Amino acid sequence: MPYQPPNWTSRHTKRSYPTITQFDRTHFTVLVLLIIISGILVVAVRKLPNNVVKATRQICAWILGVLVVAYYAYVLHPKRIVWDETAPFHVSDFLRMATPFAVAGNPTASALSYYWGTLLNSMALLTPDMAYVLDNRKFQEVAYWFFHAMALVVPVVLTFGMDYRPNWKDWRITVGITVAWAAFAGVMNKITGGNYGFLARKSRGVSILDILPKWPWYIVLLAGVLPAAWAGMTWIWPQNRRNG
């Protein structure tokens, strides 16, 4: 059953904007295509010669990087930016910028892609939260689904197609970056009145946060759960069980 969260009013523009519909045909179509594409790419990279995979990675990294830059050039234009919604302070924004580097093989970006892309980003795919603040509504919706889908496809392909394996150093770096990002996002929430990272309040639509305690206790709870979950995602690989 589709669910339409209530309209959102920006403190910046003072305007009311419609929000993305959850669990409608578009939402489920994206999820099905995501599963199919991920499976095809995993099989493909395991069968292709290493030199072909290496060259393809570099090409895809450049293409994805150009798309990210073009997206921000459009969205962050002074006439379009809505400071409490589209400023680049979401987890997904940092992940969007890291994903091309993960495709290219950067170790830190690969770690962020693995931990953030498979866990945090999955929540944005399963329970999307977005207000249509751009005049080009179709562009904003396509960009939302595309970049969030890529943020999951990339770590899935790296992990199951190219045998990427994080280690405990990657876990420590990711936890440290996450803490730094949360502190930064919290400050930006105070300045802009936004809700980056859902640190100021719960999401507008249905989400896993609904089953957690009220603010700020759900933040305290997640501060313990996320590092533990990522530790489990590290420990599952045999070499980390031996060295942990």
Side-chain angles (χ1 to χ4, degrees), residues 4 15 21 26 39 72 126 130 133 138-139 151 159 205 208 241:
Q4 181 63 61
R15 291 173 54 189
T21 303
T26 299
Y72 282 121
L126 294 174
M130 180 186 70
V133 300
K138 182 56 66 176
F139 167 82
T159 303
I208 192 173
R241 289 201 293 269

Side-chain angles (χ1 to χ4, degrees), residues 30-131:
V30 169
L31 295 181
V32 171
L33 288 176
L34 181 59
I35 294 171
I36 294 173
I37 292 171
S38 297
I40 291 173
L41 290 176
V42 167
V43 173
V45 299
R46 295 197 74 88
K47 290 183 175 296
L48 289 171
N50 289 337
N51 61 326
V52 174
V53 172
K54 183 177 180 179
T56 303
R57 285 185 70 171
Q58 299 308 312
I59 294 171
C60 290
W62 276 103
I63 293 174
L64 189 55
V66 169
L67 291 175
V68 170
V69 171
Y71 168 79
Y72 282 121
Y74 181 83
V75 171
L76 301 182
H77 189 283
K79 292 183 178 179
R80 298 189 188 95
I81 189 170
V82 179
W83 283 102
D84 50 349
E85 176 70 10
T86 57
F89 307 141
H90 291 287
V91 164
S92 58
D93 290 303
F94 283 75
L95 183 57
R96 189 174 295 143
M97 290 182 276
T99 300
F101 293 97
V103 176
N106 178 272
T108 300
S110 297
L112 288 175
S113 178
Y114 176 79
Y115 293 111
W116 285 9
T118 55
L119 191 58
L120 299 181
N121 178 68
S122 293
M123 296 300 101
L125 286 164
L126 294 174
T127 54
D129 181 272
M130 180 186 70

Side-chain angles (χ1 to χ4, degrees), residues 121-234:
N121 178 68
S122 293
M123 296 300 101
L125 286 164
L126 294 174
T127 54
D129 181 272
M130 180 186 70
Y132 290 103
V133 300
L134 299 180
D135 292 334
N136 191 336
R137 175 169 171 167
K138 182 56 66 176
F139 167 82
Q140 186 177 357
E141 184 172 25
V142 170
Y144 179 94
W145 289 121
F146 173 77
F147 286 117
H148 282 86
M150 288 301 98
L152 181 60
V153 168
V154 168
V156 167
V157 173
L158 290 179
T159 303
F160 298 103
M162 303 180 187
D163 296 325
Y164 168 77
R165 299 292 182 264
N167 54 44
W168 290 109
K169 179 182 177 181
D170 296 320
W171 176 82
R172 291 192 295 271
I173 290 174
T174 299
V175 171
I177 292 175
T178 304
V179 171
W181 164 82
F184 173 75
V187 172
M188 291 301 104
N189 285 339
K190 290 290 185 181
I191 294 174
T192 66
N195 187 27
Y196 297 108
F198 306 119
L199 296 175
R201 50 196 171 274
K202 294 185 178 182
S203 62
R204 289 167 291 219
V206 174
S207 79
I208 192 173
L209 298 180
D210 294 337
I211 65 175
L212 300 182
K214 295 182 178 180
W215 186 92
W217 301 113
Y218 70 86
I219 298 175
V220 175
L221 180 62
L222 290 175
V225 169
L226 284 178
W230 289 334
M233 292 167 59
T234 309

